[in-house]
């Protein structure tokens, strides 16, 4: 079993606090340590230069206070082992480098731009796309009491990794896993000689794909309550709609090609932008 830490990107914003709570819960459930990282996007010094009446003024870094706040919060949340790092440089670059030795990266969907210049709105998108480890982007859920973990499934290796991540979390939290397969519905032909709704012709095939995709998971995680949903709408729309009543949406970093019906490279990005709950990108 891995002992690689959970990497928490933290800047003291409201979304970063939510990410801290998520990481703390994951740490308690898995026993993994937490590595907190705050990054100042400056090249030479942890002092930030601002302008006052047109004159450069050195402003002391707020990083020590931010890390102290994270330390206090994690201790109060019952996290046994945590380390705290302050990096100076490219926010995305520093986080991606640290992610290479992490079991999971957790960060808020948006941050703020204090002295640290850590703007997580763009950072979260870049890290989720390029990290080599799974990434969880935390935002306030629309339904705080939701216990459904929704997973985008298309039969690809990426979706299998997503389903495995969801089931492991459900085992710890007691939530229900919803395996959701959406597909692009072709518009029926307007030719009166062949006006057959092609979307109906492959519905059975789609449901069969979904059942086959979860067969092994049922065996590996017999105690997890698993529901199957096949919806004839675009995958991104199906997942975003389902996120309104979910505690977490899980997608693979990449799925099948467009010809296969589900392009998770773009779907995952759309879900990251529009989901109404935290999103995990599995690898």
């Amino acid at each position: 079993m891995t002992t690689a830490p959970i990497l928490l990107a933290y800047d003291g914003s409201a979304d970063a606090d939510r990410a801290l709570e998520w990481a703390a819960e994951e740490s308690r459930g898995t026993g993994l340590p937490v590595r907190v990282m705050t990054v100042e996007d400056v090249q030479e010094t942890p002092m930030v230069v601002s302008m006052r009446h047109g004159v450069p003024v050195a402003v002391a870094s707020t990083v020590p206070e931010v890390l102290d706040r994270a330390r206090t919060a994690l201790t109060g949340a019952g996290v046994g082992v945590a380390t705290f790092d302050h990096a100076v440089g490219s926010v995305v670059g520093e986080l991606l480098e640290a992610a290479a030795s992490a079991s999971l990266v957790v960060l808020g969907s948006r941050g703020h731009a204090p002295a640290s210049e850590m703007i997580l709105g763009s950072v979260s998108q870049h890290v989720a796309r390029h990290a080599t480890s799974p990434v969880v982007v935390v935002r306030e859920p629309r339904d705080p009491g939701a216990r459904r973990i929704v997973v985008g499934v298309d039969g690809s290796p990426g979706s299998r990794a997503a389903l495995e991540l969801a089931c492991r979390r459900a085992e710890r939290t007691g939530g229900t896993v919803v395996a959701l397969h959406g597909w692009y519905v072709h518009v029926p032909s307007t030719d009166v000689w062949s006006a057959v709704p092609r979307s109906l012709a492959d519905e059975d095939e789609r449901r069969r794909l979904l059942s086959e995709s979860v067969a092994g998971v049922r065996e590996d995680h017999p105690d997890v309550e698993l529901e199957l949903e096949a919806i004839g709408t675009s995958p991104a729309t199906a997942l975003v709609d389902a996120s309104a009543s979910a505690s977490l949406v899980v997608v693979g970093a990449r799925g099948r090609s467009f010809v296969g019906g589900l392009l998770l490279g773009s779907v995952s990005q759309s879900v990251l932008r529009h989901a109404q709950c935290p999103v995990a990108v599995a690898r």
Side-chain angles (χ1 to χ4, degrees):
M1 179 179 292
T2 181
T3 57
I6 298 167
L7 177 65
L8 169 65
Y10 189 76
D11 70 349
S13 65
D15 268 12
D17 285 336
R18 294 187 186 97
L20 185 149
E21 293 173 4
W22 208 98
E25 179 190 10
E26 189 74 3
S27 175
R28 291 194 303 268
T30 61
L32 293 173
V34 176
R35 179 186 179 188
V36 181
M37 176 171 282
T38 295
V39 183
E40 287 185 285
D41 196 12
V42 290
Q43 300 303 312
E44 301 293 337
T45 170
M47 299 293 287
V48 178
V49 176
S50 65
M51 301 296 291
R52 180 180 300 166
H53 305 300
V55 178
V57 178
V59 180
S61 169
T62 61
V63 167
E65 290 81 0
V66 168
L67 290 179
D68 284 345
R69 177 176 168 180
R71 183 179 292 106
T72 299
L74 288 174
T75 300
V79 173
V81 180
T83 57
F84 302 84
D85 292 328
H86 166 208
V88 177
S90 162
V91 177
V92 172
E94 293 291 338
L95 290 177
L96 289 177
E97 182 177 350
S101 58
S103 61
L104 180 70
V105 180
V106 182
L107 69 171
S109 62
R110 293 188 182 279
H112 51 49
S116 67
E117 292 296 320
M118 189 171 185
I119 308 172
L120 283 181
S122 59
V123 170
S124 61
Q125 289 282 332
H126 281 85
V127 173
R129 272 182 223 155
H130 301 296
T132 55
S133 57
V135 176
V136 177
V137 178
V138 181
R139 56 169 57 86
E140 186 174 10
R142 179 171 179 177
D143 181 0
R147 297 181 62 79
R148 288 163 34 106
I149 301 172
V150 176
V151 189
V153 174
D154 72 343
S156 68
S159 76
R160 287 195 289 273
L163 196 54
E164 180 65 25
L165 186 156
C167 287
R168 290 199 305 268
R169 180 163 176 82
E171 286 176 334
R172 296 192 300 272
T173 64
T176 298
V177 173
V178 180
L180 178 61
H181 177 63
W183 69 94
Y184 295 95
V185 178
H186 299 287
V187 177
S189 172
T190 57
D191 185 341
V192 295
W193 301 109
S194 60
V196 178
R198 286 168 290 179
S199 61
L200 298 180
D202 65 357
E203 184 170 346
D204 289 343
E205 179 183 348
R206 298 292 181 167
R207 294 185 183 280
R208 183 165 54 253
L209 168 66
L210 180 56
S211 296
E212 292 173 352
S213 297
V214 303
V217 172
R218 286 189 186 278
E219 296 178 2
D220 295 339
H221 304 276
D223 296 330
V224 173
E225 184 178 351
L226 185 61
E227 299 178 359
L228 309 185
E229 292 187 13
I231 302 176
T233 188
S234 71
T237 297
L239 290 167
V240 170
D241 288 349
S243 73
S245 58
S247 62
L248 179 70
V249 171
V250 189
V251 294
R254 296 204 176 274
R256 291 182 180 272
S257 67
F258 179 80
V259 175
L262 187 60
L263 184 60
L264 273 179
S266 60
V267 169
S268 60
Q269 293 178 38
S270 181
V271 172
L272 281 167
R273 283 193 293 268
H274 303 296
Q276 302 172 75
C277 70
V279 176
V281 179
R283 289 174 169 84

